[in-house]
Amino acid sequence: MPNMLDMLLEHKIVAILRGIEDRHADRAGRALIDGGVKLMEITMNTAGAPAMIERWRSLFDGEAAVGAGTVLDADMARDAIAAGAQFLISPNLDEAVIAYGRERGVAVWPGVMTPTEIVRAWKAGAEAVKLFPMASLGLKYLSEIRGPLDSIPILATGGVDADNIGDYFKAGANAVGIGSKLLNMEWVREGRFDLVTAQAKRFTGAVRRLDSVQ
Ligand SMILES: O=C[C@H](O)COP(=O)(O)O
């Protein structure tokens, strides 16, 4: 099984699927993969999330990693891992979720906001943290905390779009989580999966270009 942290650091984008309707989900997932997305997070507040995770594990086996998002506590972590989630992402920091994931060999990237929370998460065994909500914290905040906290991988989440994605990496993000600007629900409802793929390519192409100039 591929190492999730390695995948996160290599591909640098996590697609966040929140509230996708089950009848559209498989085509949306396929469209994202066709656009180069390699890590997909189905949030646990999406109706039928565990069943969707389980289905995607076999449907997209070898093409993309499938994890669970909005994992708020150990009960949700248990349900997500039972469904086959390959990584767990949370908006909050709960040491019990980190411990549960570690016991089962599943990567946990908890949500953090402050330097104290980042270090707490790291000490509890998280190999990376989700810095959230970035749209409110701002890029300057990220670059400032990078001074003292320069070795903890940061998955910056919130407010990422195709024009500013490069700024997130310049400010110190190792990876980004992208929701609304990557998966436009209107396109999904209208069956415009070609547009979803084209949009995904804008993001994955931006990451490739940034990698090539480094
Ligand atoms: O937890 C995920 C974030 O709410 C996604 O934010 P975004 O839609 O601004 O990318």
Side-chain angles (χ1 to χ4, degrees):
M1 186 156 121
N3 179 284
M4 288 300 119
L5 182 64
D6 290 346
M7 275 192 78
L8 180 71
L9 298 179
E10 180 183 348
H11 299 292
K12 300 184 174 64
I13 288 177
V14 178
I16 302 167
L17 293 104
R18 188 186 301 285
I20 182 94
E21 288 176 61
D22 196 62
R23 62 197 171 111
H24 300 310
D26 296 355
R27 278 180 302 163
R30 168 54 55 202
L32 291 170
I33 291 173
D34 288 348
V37 170
K38 297 285 187 191
L39 294 105
M40 300 200 288
E41 167 194 341
I42 298 172
T43 69
M44 291 297 278
N45 59 353
T46 297
M52 217 180 276
I53 291 168
E54 193 171 355
R55 194 170 73 235
W56 280 22
R57 281 299 313 278
S58 54
L59 195 59
F60 301 133
D61 186 34
E63 295 188 274
V66 180
T70 316
V71 178
L72 303 179
D73 55 32
D75 286 344
M76 291 170 89
R78 186 196 56 221
D79 292 347
I81 292 175
Q86 292 171 285
F87 57 84
L88 307 181
I89 298 182
S90 315
N92 60 311
L93 167 59
D94 181 340
E95 277 94 342
V97 172
I98 299 173
Y100 190 86
R102 279 175 70 85
E103 276 168 28
R104 281 150 188 83
V106 175
V108 180
W109 303 323
V112 294
M113 198 165 87
T114 65
T116 300
E117 289 170 351
I118 292 172
V119 174
R120 261 182 58 199
W122 184 252
K123 283 189 174 167
E127 293 176 325
V129 292
K130 164 180 167 168
L131 188 63
F132 174 79
M134 271 302 298
S136 301
L137 294 170
L139 293 169
K140 192 160 187 298
Y141 182 86
L142 171 55
S143 61
E144 277 188 284
I145 62 167
R146 266 313 193 192
L149 303 173
D150 57 350
S151 60
I152 300 175
I154 288 182
L155 167 63
T157 303
V160 180
D161 63 37
D163 296 320
N164 68 16
I165 185 170
D167 299 331
Y168 278 67
F169 291 108
K170 278 185 210 126
N174 300 91
V176 290
I178 317 170
S180 49
K181 292 296 189 311
L182 178 51
L183 189 64
N184 181 319
M185 289 299 180
E186 258 177 51
W187 294 344
V188 169
R189 280 191 293 271
E190 290 164 4
R192 295 301 311 270
F193 295 101
D194 56 327
L195 297 180
V196 173
T197 295
Q199 180 70 345
K201 281 182 179 167
R202 290 184 72 195
F203 285 100
T204 56
V207 165
R208 265 203 316 277
R209 281 192 297 280
L210 286 167
D211 281 347
S212 69
V213 295
Q214 271 169 11

